[in-house]
Amino acid sequence: MHHAHDKDVNDLNNFIDELPKNLAGKTAWYIHEETWKQLKFINDYDLHENQQFLAWLAMHLRPCLMSEDTELFHEKDQVREIFFLMNGNCFFQLSMKMPSSETWWDQVKYAFRYIQIEKGLYFGVIDIIGSIMKMFLDDPDGDYFEKWYDEVERLFHQFNVTTGPQTTDLLSLSIHTLWKMRTEFFEEYQMMFNIDRMRGLLHRCH
């Protein structure tokens, strides 16, 4: 079933890619018209009327259908894309330090902590920020917008992310496309790279 879904998605993406740029953008925007209502990034910054940006984003989003109880990526995997959760469940799986005095069963219970990712949220940017923060500890307030793509081969996920007990629908955006956003839609790029917000998330998760 997933194979057939992936083929249909690839056929649709190939069809859009072959259209003239202006028509491709309008077609992709129309296909994702309901998507914009679900994405908190679009809602939080009131980007519904920014059709130029949404058409550009729509042309670069790629659907991803994941089976239940599947690892999407593992801590220390290289970051290649960010994800938007559309339907289903995803969880950050955080390793915890286990108290040595606890029994074996208590250690198992404390071994992992799960934080559910809310539907409509994006994730993956926090891994880019976390990687850069570790690389540039001597410059904690540096301009990450200028640095992270230069270190693209050294960007690694900070957490495991797994799906829940049902099929999960995601949209992905490659980090190469994310970097292009910096050039073409810098204001929206800055919104996505909200450094203070990402730092807060990292501190709460560790």
Side-chain angles (χ1 to χ4, degrees):
M1 182 177 70
H2 288 198
H3 175 75
H5 174 272
D6 292 343
K7 184 179 185 304
D8 290 342
V9 167
N10 288 332
D11 288 345
L12 180 59
N13 288 336
N14 290 336
F15 169 73
I16 292 174
D17 289 341
E18 292 174 2
L19 294 173
K21 186 174 181 180
N22 188 45
L23 181 58
K26 290 181 178 178
T27 303
W29 182 91
Y30 177 78
I31 289 172
H32 284 288
E33 189 172 7
E34 291 300 313
T35 298
W36 313 135
K37 299 175 184 178
Q38 298 183 55
L39 294 183
K40 293 185 180 298
F41 169 68
I42 304 300
N43 294 322
D44 289 349
Y45 290 103
D46 196 21
L47 297 175
H48 294 281
E49 301 303 318
N50 191 342
Q51 294 195 9
Q52 185 179 4
F53 169 66
L54 294 181
W56 179 90
L57 182 62
M59 286 193 295
H60 293 91
L61 290 172
R62 292 293 181 261
C64 177
L65 186 66
M66 297 292 296
S67 301
E68 62 275 8
D69 300 319
T70 301
E71 188 173 81
L72 182 60
F73 53 75
H74 191 272
E75 183 181 357
K76 298 183 180 178
D77 283 349
Q78 190 172 357
V79 180
R80 300 188 183 279
E81 53 205 340
I82 67 170
F83 296 91
F84 299 82
L85 177 59
M86 304 306 297
N87 286 294
N89 301 106
C90 277
F91 299 88
F92 288 118
Q93 182 183 347
L94 310 178
S95 298
M96 303 287 287
K97 292 183 179 179
M98 298 178 291
S100 58
S101 60
E102 299 293 338
T103 65
W104 176 84
W105 175 242
D106 285 333
Q107 289 185 17
V108 169
K109 288 191 295 182
Y110 286 122
F112 295 104
R113 179 161 60 104
Y114 293 88
I115 297 178
Q116 184 167 356
I117 300 170
E118 189 176 345
K119 190 181 299 184
L121 289 181
Y122 64 93
F123 55 98
V125 170
I126 191 173
D127 300 288
I128 297 173
I129 300 301
S131 294
I132 292 296
M133 287 173 67
K134 290 178 179 179
M135 280 185 244
F136 297 97
L137 290 175
D138 58 336
D139 186 20
D141 297 315
D143 188 353
Y144 305 122
F145 303 127
E146 300 296 337
K147 293 177 178 176
W148 73 264
Y149 198 72
D150 293 337
E151 306 291 344
V152 68
E153 299 299 324
R154 298 171 60 198
L155 303 176
F156 300 102
H157 286 292
Q158 308 297 297
F159 319 98
N160 302 340
V161 168
T162 61
T163 61
Q166 58 182 301
T167 301
T168 297
D169 288 309
L170 301 150
L171 294 172
S172 68
L173 186 73
S174 76
I175 59 172
H176 302 292
T177 302
L178 185 61
W179 184 250
K180 290 180 183 177
M181 186 192 297
R182 180 185 181 277
T183 302
E184 301 190 35
F185 297 96
F186 186 66
E187 185 176 353
E188 291 78 6
Y189 170 85
Q190 285 185 308
M191 293 173 184
M192 188 165 283
F193 271 80
N194 186 323
I195 302 297
D196 290 336
R197 177 174 176 272
M198 294 299 167
R199 277 182 181 151
L201 285 172
L202 281 168
H203 289 318
R204 285 202 299 272
C205 289
H206 284 299

